[in-house]
Amino acid sequence: MTMFRLIPAVLLFAASLSAQAWNFDKFTHELSEKVRFKDEKGYDKILKEYHYHALLHFRAQVRMLIRDETHEQSQAEYGRLTASWQRVFRTDTLEQIERWLRSQDIAQIRTFDNCYGALQKGKNHYFQLYTDKPNERANYEKLVESLLKLAEQFEYIGERTQAAETWGVVAQVYNIMPSRTLQDRKEAVYAIDRYQEHRDRWNYNKDQLYLTNVNWAKEEKRKIEEDEKKQAKRAAEGYDENITGIDSFLVVDADKTEKFYPFTFKPMSKFESKVDFSLMGGPSPMRWPSVTITGKGPIKMSWFRSKEMFLVRPGNNKYGVTFDGAESNLKKNPFQPVAAPNKIKKPSLIYLGDPKAKEDPYAMWFYTGGASEPFQGMSQNYAPTAKRAIVYYKSASSWVADVDGTPVTLFDDNSDGAIFTEDYEEDFGMTQRTLTDDFDEETKVSAIDSMQIGKKAKAVPFSNWVKVNGSWFHMRRSEDGKKFGLRATNPDYFKTGNVKVKWSAGKGTKLEALVVQGRGWFGQARFDISKGVTELPAAEYEVLFGRIVNGKKARMSSADLFAGSTEPFTVKPGETTELAFGAPFKLEYNREGEGRDLKINALTIKVIGTAGEIYRNVNGAPPASEILAAKDDTGKGAKAIGAFIALKDAQMASDLSKGQAIGFEVAYWPVVKGVANGSFVFEEFVPDGTKIGLKGDKNKLFGKLLPVFK
């Protein structure tokens, strides 16, 4: 039941459907509270803020009075609503609604109810599109088609508030349409014009929401006129009049002037010589892709995707790779030997084609853990046995091209054997289960490759939009990845801005990576904004992935950063956008139990940063905390009633992981203090009205972790 509000560039309000329901419940509850305490000013304030809910509430009272004019509760609420509306808005909107309702017969009311129900479904569909952001325009166009029919029905029966609301949804769909065109923008403006027309017919036009939408339409019309002039200028310069998308940012006939550059394979020589951007990467081998091999194998290396590759183990300390997964007799299954030591040294060189011809070389690091492997803040035994071994692997491959004297290097950070992946979420298919509260749903995440432009430059996420030798280009693969092409951008139409990130955390904690990805035509633009000021194409962006670290090697702690509730942000031409991440950090959790029975499952604890980003896979610094009880949600005078502490025992972690959807990842969370065999669930009896919060003071990664009392 959220009213639709247009915001230039970014939709700021798109709440979940549960939040919508909560808002209406809040409206009716708070109205009744103001009535109970005879607070007329408070009643008016709520009606002003939730004016759309007030219309729904008023409609319900009128319908009740049509059935029974003597209904005392509806009579009283009818009087309060009409009086408050006049004090706040001074319009006859409620009279218009009542007049319309009393003029309808049963069949017409039934039609209205059906249309209203269909509108709620349309809103649900909109919110789903807004959340999932599918790239196929057909999904959005189908919704627009159904909404236009619905708007026509509301117009036919003469219900102006819902006709306006429907046109508002139409405008919103056009505003989130993938690869928005000039015509899409015109359709959104037209929808708001119709929205304004219907609102004006019933004088529902004094609220801030109406003014915001109408002013947006005026400004958007002005911008469209400017863009149409630019379009005419393009045509005069030789651009196709129907040019759109990526080509609209490039020079005229960019395909004809595209330059191509061949790759040369080059194995990496040093481990930790660069930052990588894959979720299954980073400096700790225990986070890499892995296979568990029993006997001699072969066992499939599932994350390697360019062709099926299998690991074999011909001896206790001998390993190899083969492309035949059916033959277990290694005398009949030719394999290429690889080294899998407990200390990372030089990578192993293999050939994906004919080894004798040294065809299609590829390099990988392989790693086997030790008997006392530091991971998740404890010492764990990952040493191979005679029957079983866990082998971790990571790409050590790179491909270098010379672009007019500047080396451009591509790295296969996600170890899938491929570069130039277009859509890492869909094509690579990696999921993260710990991003949902109950770990019952797989969330798609990006495991990104990287690139380096210049000999001594830092590694950056792989992007199709690149700056080489001082100029921006659109980069694309050629000849099945053996070459790449660069198409020049036109500075008249391709603009850039800057992003500056402010980072704050515990002492010594660094923001090692923070990857953002563009939207729309810049959906393949990815940049690491973690260091200083970063230049980006002017576009809308969203947070994709990040990593924070503290310490080195055995003493290292780390955590992965995900978007959480962060908002998309816009980089404007020639301007610097400042973003803050990190502290203050909050400890969110799910409060369970009924009445005075308090229950907190540590596995629901989330570390949330100042921008709404969420930190998961907290390695070596779990969110240990005091459990505080207070009389109200300010936390004043709170007292500790228990604590969650870091899990330090590997056997206990193994026992606790059994039956859990996330398996051994439970060791990223703390356990209840004082429970001998370990438990994630804290239970206590507390007085009625007690507010509970979790607080951590000296976390190695985050420093202070502030409580959220609930």
Side-chain angles (χ1 to χ4, degrees):
M1 297 176 184
T2 295
M3 280 292 284
F4 279 75
R5 177 181 181 186
L6 287 168
I7 301 294
V10 183
L11 296 173
L12 300 178
F13 68 91
S16 67
L17 298 175
S18 60
Q20 294 179 66
W22 179 83
N23 282 337
F24 188 75
D25 290 344
K26 178 181 179 180
F27 167 77
T28 54
H29 171 74
E30 292 196 8
L31 272 191
S32 63
E33 287 294 293
K34 301 308 177 186
V35 171
R36 187 160 68 94
F37 290 105
K38 299 180 180 180
D39 182 0
E40 186 177 274
K41 289 184 178 180
Y43 191 100
D44 290 351
K45 183 178 179 181
I46 295 168
L47 181 138
K48 184 177 182 179
E49 181 178 357
Y50 296 99
H51 47 86
Y52 180 71
H53 298 82
L55 298 185
L56 300 178
H57 193 42
F58 177 78
R59 185 180 288 110
Q61 309 314 311
V62 173
R63 291 180 68 166
M64 175 58 74
L65 291 172
I66 289 173
R67 291 193 293 270
D68 179 6
E69 293 287 356
T70 65
H71 193 279
E72 293 184 3
Q73 185 176 347
S74 289
Q75 285 180 339
E77 191 66 1
Y78 172 95
R80 286 188 290 266
L81 286 167
T82 52
S84 178
W85 191 273
Q86 285 303 312
R87 289 192 298 268
V88 173
F89 296 118
R90 300 181 184 276
T91 70
D92 64 350
T93 307
L94 300 190
E95 294 174 29
Q96 298 275 8
I97 291 175
E98 181 175 6
R99 189 178 302 123
W100 181 85
L101 281 168
R102 290 186 179 276
S103 68
Q104 305 302 300
D105 58 27
I106 294 176
Q108 290 168 321
I109 291 294
R110 186 177 297 115
T111 298
F112 169 81
D113 288 341
N114 291 338
C115 290
Y116 181 79
L119 176 57
Q120 305 320 303
K121 291 180 180 179
K123 289 182 180 182
N124 291 357
H125 191 180
Y126 161 78
F127 283 117
Q128 194 65 50
L129 291 175
Y130 180 84
T131 302
D132 296 343
K133 302 177 182 65
N135 291 321
E136 299 78 15
R137 285 177 62 92
N139 294 306
Y140 302 78
E141 291 167 349
K142 184 178 180 180
L143 176 56
V144 166
E145 183 181 354
S146 64
L147 288 169
L148 290 176
K149 292 179 180 178
L150 193 57
E152 184 179 354
Q153 287 182 287
F154 278 123
E155 291 170 345
Y156 179 76
I157 63 177
E159 215 298 347
R160 303 296 174 181
T161 62
Q162 296 308 308
E165 181 76 354
T166 307
W167 279 110
V169 185
V170 171
Q172 291 290 44
V173 178
Y174 275 116
N175 265 9
I176 64 169
M177 189 80 74
S179 307
R180 286 176 70 217
T181 64
L182 200 61
Q183 187 59 38
D184 291 333
R185 294 167 61 191
K186 288 181 178 180
E187 295 290 354
V189 169
Y190 174 77
I192 291 304
D193 285 345
R194 299 301 301 274
Y195 163 93
Q196 180 181 3
E197 174 190 337
H198 289 297
R199 286 277 217 124
D200 287 347
R201 287 284 293 272
W202 280 6
N203 297 315
Y204 182 24
N205 51 15
K206 303 297 183 183
D207 56 278
Q208 186 58 47
L209 183 61
Y210 169 89
L211 297 174
T212 299
N213 285 342
V214 171
N215 289 335
W216 172 87
K218 290 179 181 178
E219 178 64 14
E220 184 69 355
K221 287 176 185 177
R222 184 189 65 78
K223 291 180 179 179
I224 288 173
E225 288 178 2
E226 290 181 356
D227 289 342
E228 285 180 325
K229 291 177 182 178
K230 291 178 182 178
Q231 196 173 60
K233 178 177 177 289
R234 284 178 181 272
E237 293 171 346
Y239 285 95
D240 187 296
E241 64 177 9
N242 296 316
I243 192 169
T244 186
I246 291 172
D247 290 341
S248 65
F249 299 99
L250 307 180
V251 296
V252 178
D253 295 328
D255 289 358
K256 295 180 181 179
T257 57
E258 184 174 12
K259 292 184 179 181
F260 297 92
Y261 303 90
F263 280 119
T264 300
F265 173 77
K266 183 180 179 181
M268 297 170 65
S269 58
K270 293 181 180 179
F271 176 65
E272 290 186 335
S273 60
K274 60 173 282 295
V275 174
D276 68 40
F277 300 96
S278 173
L279 183 61
M280 292 193 300
S284 173
M286 318 312 289
R287 296 292 310 280
W288 297 356
S290 66
V291 292
T292 300
I293 185 168
T294 55
K296 294 183 178 181
I299 183 73
K300 186 176 180 179
M301 298 167 63
S302 299
W303 290 109
F304 190 85
R305 303 291 176 73
S306 67
K307 65 184 301 184
E308 288 194 336
M309 186 158 67
F310 303 84
L311 187 76
V312 295
R313 190 186 185 194
N316 280 353
N317 296 312
K318 295 180 180 181
Y319 299 89
V321 296
T322 179
F323 304 108
D324 183 351
E327 181 57 71
S328 59
N329 185 345
L330 299 188
K331 292 182 179 180
K332 298 180 180 180
N333 189 349
F335 62 87
Q336 300 177 56
V338 298
N342 180 236
K343 186 176 181 181
I344 301 171
K345 298 178 181 178
K346 289 184 178 181
S348 296
L349 180 64
I350 59 176
Y351 296 94
L352 304 181
D354 183 358
K356 294 181 180 178
K358 297 184 177 180
E359 183 181 57
D360 202 359
Y362 193 85
M364 301 187 88
W365 283 293
F366 292 87
Y367 179 85
T368 50
S372 184
E373 195 74 32
F375 184 52
Q376 296 176 315
M378 65 188 83
S379 179
Q380 302 186 44
N381 184 2
Y382 283 93
T385 66
K387 295 182 178 180
R388 179 177 178 272
I390 303 175
V391 181
Y392 300 85
Y393 58 94
K394 175 179 171 61
S395 172
S397 298
S398 71
W399 294 264
V400 185
D402 183 276
V403 179
D404 303 325
T406 297
V408 174
T409 307
L410 269 60
F411 303 95
D412 182 22
D413 283 5
N414 61 24
S415 305
D416 69 346
I419 52 177
F420 282 104
T421 302
E422 291 296 319
D423 189 329
Y424 287 98
E425 289 188 9
E426 293 298 329
D427 296 344
F428 190 68
M430 187 176 183
T431 58
Q432 178 83 6
R433 191 176 280 269
T434 61
L435 293 180
T436 56
D437 285 341
D438 299 324
F439 310 144
D440 57 353
E441 187 177 325
E442 299 280 1
T443 303
K444 291 180 180 179
V445 294
S446 291
I448 310 164
D449 290 334
S450 65
M451 62 195 308
Q452 188 176 35
I453 302 173
K455 190 172 183 179
K456 295 183 179 180
K458 68 172 185 176
V460 294
F462 173 73
S463 173
N464 284 71
W465 296 92
V466 295
K467 188 176 184 180
V468 185
N469 295 329
S471 297
W472 282 90
F473 297 90
H474 180 257
M475 180 182 189
R476 59 183 182 177
R477 66 185 295 165
S478 177
E479 294 187 20
D480 201 26
K482 294 178 181 177
K483 295 181 180 181
F484 67 85
L486 292 181
R487 295 187 294 167
T489 59
N490 185 335
D492 285 346
Y493 308 115
F494 178 89
K495 304 294 184 181
T496 64
N498 296 311
V499 170
K500 183 179 180 180
V501 170
K502 179 184 177 183
W503 168 252
S504 179
K507 185 178 179 181
T509 297
K510 298 178 181 179
L511 181 60
E512 183 179 73
L514 179 56
V515 181
V516 296
Q517 178 169 290
R519 305 175 82 173
W521 301 124
F522 290 93
Q524 301 302 321
R526 305 177 190 89
F527 300 92
D528 177 17
I529 62 172
S530 64
K531 308 293 189 300
V533 177
T534 307
E535 183 184 11
L536 287 74
E540 190 178 22
Y541 292 86
E542 57 191 347
V543 172
L544 201 60
F545 170 75
R547 184 184 295 120
I548 65 174
V549 296
N550 188 307
K552 295 182 179 180
K553 297 184 178 180
R555 291 180 169 271
M556 185 191 69
S557 297
S558 64
D560 295 326
L561 182 158
F562 296 96
S565 61
T566 58
E567 292 287 351
F569 63 93
T570 300
V571 175
K572 297 181 179 180
E575 298 183 15
T576 298
T577 301
E578 296 190 1
L579 305 171
F581 292 88
F585 297 101
K586 296 185 296 184
L587 275 182
E588 267 288 0
Y589 73 98
N590 291 352
R591 179 169 176 169
E592 302 171 9
E594 297 182 1
R596 298 182 179 184
D597 295 322
L598 170 67
K599 181 184 291 186
I600 302 174
N601 188 332
L603 297 178
T604 69
I605 296 174
K606 296 186 285 284
V607 179
I608 307 294
T610 189
E613 75 274 18
I614 183 172
Y615 297 84
R616 286 301 206 197
N617 307 321
V618 183
N619 173 31
S625 56
E626 283 188 306
I627 304 169
L628 303 178
K631 293 182 179 180
D632 57 46
D633 53 16
T634 66
K636 186 176 180 179
K639 295 182 179 180
I641 59 172
F644 289 111
I645 60 174
L647 181 54
K648 294 291 186 180
D649 185 283
Q651 184 57 53
M652 182 184 292
S654 178
D655 293 341
L656 290 172
S657 71
K658 294 174 182 177
Q660 296 285 352
I662 56 173
F664 205 76
E665 290 183 53
V666 296
Y668 291 131
W669 279 269
V671 292
V672 179
K673 183 179 180 180
V675 178
N677 296 321
S679 173
F680 291 114
V681 180
F682 174 83
E683 296 183 89
E684 185 62 80
F685 185 78
V686 296
D688 282 335
T690 301
K691 303 295 183 180
I692 302 296
L694 308 180
K695 179 185 177 184
D697 285 328
K698 296 180 180 180
N699 188 280
K700 181 179 177 180
L701 276 173
F702 306 107
K704 289 186 177 181
L705 293 166
L706 303 179
V708 176
F709 285 93
K710 57 178 75 174

